[in-house]
Amino acid sequence: MIHSVDITISALYIAAILVIGLWAGISHQRKNRQNQDAAGEYFLAGKTLRWPMIGLALFATNISCVHLVSLAQSGFDTGLLNGNFEWMAAFTLILLALFFAPFYIKSGVSTLPDFLEKRYDRASRDWLAIVSVVSAIIIHISFSLLAGGIVLKTLFGVNMYTSVIAISIITAIYTIVGGLTGVVVTESIQTIVLLAGAIIISIAAYYKMGGWEPMVAVLQANDQMDKLSMMRPHGDSSGMPWYAVFLGYPVLGIWYWCADQTIVQRVLGAKNENHARVGPLFCGFIKILPVFIFVLPGLFAYTLSQTGKIDVSSLKMIQNGVEVINSKGIYTLMITQLLPTGLIGILVAALLSGLMSQISGALNSISTMVSYDIYQRYKPQASDKSLIRTGKIAAGISLVVSLALLPLLNHYESIFNGLNDIIAHIAPPITCVFILGVFWKGASAQSAKLTLWIGSALGVIVYAANKLFPETVIGQTPFMMMAFYLFCICIFIQVLFSCIYPVQHTEESSALYWKSPLESLQAAGWKGPGNYKTLSALLFSLMALLFYIFR
């Protein structure tokens, strides 16, 4: 339990975010009340977002309670290994900046399903809209609520569902009323608070351990030096050897960072192409931090527990007759045992930042897709007022569904692994149709539709077989490699059906693929160090160096 001072700090923070979100969204809409595109103002902030806000908002939408809680858990259990998900993201953000963002801005789309219709056909748009709404509900909202509920229950002793419902309602109010402007402004603030909180707990753990060398000494004494390695050999017990990272992550990452509406909506609201390119690259640089401020504290917690400097007895439980540590609560335990009163309140505010930013971003993207990709199809003459009202209703319903899913998702032993396990079975067909659509002239509309249908069905079948028959080959295949295998099957399916049903380009679709990869680099960009080419090269080199150091 925590002190009243910390509760007051947390409550004041929540109130401040609510006020700021409502003020930013309503004032922006009033300022542009005479604008003919009121829906565009609400859903895409009138396409006025600049690169700093885009980068911060991308990071805030990505990082949630799931990351703070489960990356610390993974650091405790397996060391720096799951940091691969953070650092590999930088490479996919480079792909977004160089190859995908220009098309999204040039085509003037409001949603990624809209882009698929322009490149392929209406059927592809419909399928992606449905899958994207479902995935946003499960991946971006439900898992975040689950992680947030666990933390709030541990800290405040309140019922998990009561706490997440309260936070959800507050977040929904400023998201539904304020639109994307309210979301992005609050996300920018929440990113700063979240990073500050994570840095505080990292410094506290480092100080308590006595530095890097004592931690390494404990790992050596326990024969756990592999916890410092991010590149594991074949047969590693984690199920994530180095080749699984380099083969499997791009399948997950390209869908998540380049083809998921919840994430890319910030880019779609960019002022122009340069802001749309530099924003993701800025986020790529920020993504270097999570390994050091989210994963590493969990590793410090492991060595602190081995030396008795923190007490993990409250996390012990009996599983299959053996006493084990339920590491889901390790982040909360670190907060209460390593920080003084006052700072605990700031850390709780950081956790709430991650939870609220993730929910708000997902609700905004859901409302956008339901309005533009589903409602407007059946009512093409719908007014902006009708579109906005439909989006608000969709956001409210999605939040209720997300809350209903919490008991089911709570069965995963590791929240982070559960999250990525689901993504691994959703992503392959979507990643496939986006990559081939952007890079291959011959990708036809019929092939994209069939790939999405067949690939999604295969993903559901394999996921079910994995859970029902865990002792089979499918059940024993790590989810990262399964994502790669499913992706290869989807590539084969789309190429095959593109040969059977040759492409017939429209005037619009013929402008939405790169004639060659180098064509994407022809845009000059800004002069000086802010040039997207310079930043891409710098980010790529920096990430390669970091992977070499922690190989």
Side-chain angles (χ1 to χ4, degrees):
M1 300 293 288
I2 63 176
H3 294 86
S4 57
V5 173
D6 300 302
I7 295 174
T8 302
I9 292 172
S10 304
L12 289 173
Y13 175 77
I14 294 172
I17 287 294
L18 174 62
V19 172
I20 292 170
L22 289 172
W23 171 79
I26 293 172
S27 62
H28 179 82
Q29 291 167 42
R30 282 179 177 171
K31 193 182 299 181
N32 295 277
R33 185 171 287 173
Q34 303 305 318
N35 194 308
Q36 296 300 311
D37 185 18
E41 292 291 339
Y42 178 80
F43 292 117
L44 295 173
K47 298 199 172 185
T48 58
L49 301 181
R50 298 175 179 271
W51 68 265
M53 199 168 283
I54 293 171
L56 290 171
L58 281 170
F59 184 80
T61 303
N62 165 236
I63 296 297
S64 67
C65 262
V66 171
H67 289 74
L68 272 71
V69 173
S70 60
L71 284 178
Q73 178 190 5
S74 73
F76 187 91
D77 294 336
T78 61
L80 300 183
L81 180 63
N82 278 345
N84 281 299
F85 288 95
E86 302 306 305
W87 283 357
M88 286 293 289
F91 296 113
T92 50
L93 283 162
I94 291 173
L95 292 178
L96 174 60
L98 294 184
F99 300 111
F100 291 94
F103 277 140
Y104 297 155
I105 299 302
K106 182 165 59 175
S107 62
V109 297
S110 301
T111 66
L112 294 185
D114 186 15
F115 175 78
L116 274 198
E117 181 179 15
K118 292 178 183 294
R119 175 59 181 87
Y120 292 120
D121 62 6
R122 182 76 218 197
S124 297
R125 175 179 184 167
D126 291 343
W127 188 257
L128 183 63
I130 293 169
V131 172
S132 297
V133 168
V134 172
S135 64
I137 290 172
I138 297 173
I139 293 167
H140 294 293
I141 303 180
S142 290
F143 271 110
S144 292
L145 290 174
L146 177 61
I150 291 170
V151 169
L152 293 172
K153 179 182 178 182
T154 307
L155 286 174
F156 296 102
V158 296
N159 179 270
M160 184 175 81
Y161 298 104
T162 302
S163 60
V164 296
I165 288 171
I167 294 296
S168 299
I169 291 172
I170 292 169
T171 307
I173 289 171
Y174 75 76
T175 302
I176 293 172
V177 174
L180 184 60
T181 301
V183 170
V184 171
V185 169
T186 53
E187 282 181 341
S188 299
I189 298 169
Q190 288 163 330
T191 300
I192 295 168
V193 174
L194 187 150
L195 289 175
I199 290 170
I200 288 171
I201 197 72
S202 300
I203 292 172
Y206 181 88
Y207 178 78
K208 185 75 172 180
M209 189 67 236
W212 182 267
E213 290 77 13
M215 180 192 71
V216 173
V218 172
L219 292 175
Q220 286 177 331
N222 288 273
D223 195 25
Q224 294 287 331
M225 283 299 290
D226 62 327
K227 285 181 178 285
L228 288 174
S229 172
M230 295 176 70
M231 297 287 103
R232 304 292 174 84
H234 173 73
D236 187 75
S237 59
S238 66
M240 238 170 75
W242 65 270
Y243 57 84
V245 173
F246 288 113
L247 293 176
Y249 179 82
V251 180
L252 281 64
I254 290 175
W255 168 75
Y256 187 88
W257 290 104
C258 304
D260 180 28
Q261 179 71 24
T262 301
I263 296 295
V264 181
Q265 184 149 340
R266 286 100 195 87
V267 176
L268 298 180
K271 184 177 181 181
N272 56 41
E273 185 178 303
N274 278 319
H275 285 283
R277 285 181 139 166
V278 175
L281 294 173
F282 177 44
C283 179
F285 284 102
I286 304 176
K287 287 293 283 182
I288 294 172
L289 295 176
V291 171
F292 300 110
I293 62 176
F294 298 156
V295 184
L296 191 57
L299 182 55
F300 272 120
Y302 171 79
T303 54
L304 286 169
S305 69
Q306 293 297 307
T307 55
K309 293 184 177 180
I310 62 172
D311 180 13
V312 295
S313 59
S314 61
L315 300 179
K316 291 181 178 178
M317 56 183 287
I318 302 298
Q319 191 175 69
N320 299 324
V322 180
E323 187 179 73
V324 296
I325 293 175
N326 180 13
S327 54
K328 276 185 182 179
I330 195 65
Y331 199 80
T332 309
L333 185 141
M334 291 168 66
I335 290 174
T336 55
Q337 293 195 21
L338 297 180
L339 299 180
T341 300
L343 280 182
I344 292 177
I346 295 174
L347 257 294
V348 174
L351 287 165
L352 293 174
S353 290
L355 175 60
M356 296 168 75
S357 63
Q358 184 86 335
I359 296 171
S360 63
L363 289 178
N364 185 251
S365 71
I366 289 169
S367 63
T368 305
M369 288 185 290
V370 170
S371 296
Y372 281 119
D373 296 311
I374 299 174
Y375 181 73
Q376 197 175 51
R377 174 175 184 182
Y378 297 100
K379 293 201 173 183
Q381 303 305 318
S383 66
D384 283 9
K385 187 176 180 180
S386 296
L387 289 173
I388 293 172
R389 183 177 64 249
T390 301
K392 291 178 177 180
I393 293 171
I397 294 172
S398 298
L399 191 59
V400 173
V401 174
S402 300
L403 290 167
L405 290 172
L406 292 184
L408 180 65
L409 299 180
N410 198 25
H411 285 84
Y412 275 105
E413 193 171 309
S414 166
I415 297 174
F416 195 72
N417 287 343
L419 178 72
N420 285 294
D421 185 26
I422 292 175
I423 292 176
H425 295 85
I426 293 175
I430 301 173
T431 298
C432 172
V433 297
F434 269 86
I435 288 179
L436 292 185
V438 168
F439 289 101
W440 185 38
K441 176 183 179 180
S444 69
Q446 186 74 358
S447 72
K449 177 178 66 178
L450 292 171
T451 301
L452 287 171
W453 290 355
I454 298 171
S456 297
L458 279 174
V460 171
I461 292 169
V462 169
Y463 180 83
N466 189 319
K467 304 307 169 194
L468 294 173
F469 310 105
E471 301 304 320
T472 62
V473 173
I474 291 178
Q476 295 296 312
T477 303
F479 67 85
M480 294 279 273
M481 288 307 300
M482 184 57 71
F484 176 70
Y485 297 145
L486 288 171
F487 174 72
C488 291
I489 293 171
C490 290
I491 290 285
F492 173 78
I493 291 171
Q494 187 163 9
V495 171
L496 175 64
F497 282 114
S498 290
C499 294
I500 298 173
Y501 304 104
V503 65
Q504 295 180 341
H505 279 293
T506 63
E507 183 179 346
E508 195 170 42
S509 69
S510 62
L512 295 179
Y513 64 86
W514 295 115
K515 309 303 183 289
S516 78
L518 293 178
E519 186 185 358
S520 67
L521 303 178
Q522 290 179 0
W526 290 326
K527 294 181 180 179
N531 184 275
Y532 72 92
K533 300 175 191 176
T534 304
L535 291 172
S536 297
L538 177 61
L539 180 58
F540 185 92
S541 302
L542 185 58
M543 298 316 302
L545 176 62
L546 286 170
F547 270 111
Y548 176 77
I549 293 172
F550 290 93
R551 62 189 185 279

